[in-house]
Amino acid sequence: MRGFQENIAKLEAADTQVLGVSMDSPFANFAFGQQNGVTFPLLGDMSGETTRAYGLLNTMNIKGVKVDSARRATFLINKQGKVEEVHVDSQALDPNNIVTVCERKKKAS
């Protein structure tokens, strides 16, 4: 999320709305945003419904207890709701590729 915050001006200039989604509560997301200077909306998917729908559920076994979490992912969704680009796991950590795609799309329009 920090990488996206660092690139927020470029993304907004490319007509891109950034949203963060996690399986954390709204309270945890608020605290995270405050601690990390995040200015874009952070949404909570506490039920995991959206995480499952996008195929990102990761169930871990921690000392015999199953814990659900979300894999890291970046989706570029156009204004018609079509997913145009997906980066998952380590690819999702660095926002530079998605920033480049957004800037290219803005120039093409």
Side-chain angles (χ1 to χ4, degrees), residues 49-62:
E49 183 178 341
T50 301
T51 302
R52 283 180 187 82
Y54 278 81
L56 298 171
L57 186 67
N58 182 33
T59 301
M60 300 178 288
N61 189 327
I62 301 175

Side-chain angles (χ1 to χ4, degrees), residues 26-98:
F27 305 105
N29 283 336
F30 178 78
F32 176 86
Q34 292 290 303
Q35 292 167 356
N36 292 282
V38 174
T39 60
F40 52 86
L42 298 176
L43 310 175
D45 178 33
M46 289 176 54
S47 70
E49 183 178 341
T50 301
T51 302
R52 283 180 187 82
Y54 278 81
L56 298 171
L57 186 67
N58 182 33
T59 301
M60 300 178 288
N61 189 327
I62 301 175
K63 296 185 179 183
V65 177
K66 289 187 178 183
V67 177
D68 288 341
S69 68
R71 294 170 56 203
R72 292 186 186 270
T74 301
F75 290 85
L76 177 58
I77 303 171
N78 68 20
K79 291 180 181 181
Q80 291 73 39
K82 180 183 173 198
V83 175
E84 293 190 3
E85 187 102 12
V86 179
H87 298 172
V88 181
D89 299 327
S90 62
Q91 288 183 329
L93 296 176
D94 181 3
N96 289 319
N97 288 334
I98 212 77

Side-chain angles (χ1 to χ4, degrees), residues 3-40:
F4 284 92
Q5 184 61 50
E6 291 168 3
N7 285 280
I8 196 73
K10 288 180 184 178
L11 288 160
E12 288 175 348
D15 198 23
T16 303
Q17 169 68 56
V18 177
L19 303 170
V21 181
S22 77
M23 291 178 68
D24 296 320
S25 72
F27 305 105
N29 283 336
F30 178 78
F32 176 86
Q34 292 290 303
Q35 292 167 356
N36 292 282
V38 174
T39 60
F40 52 86

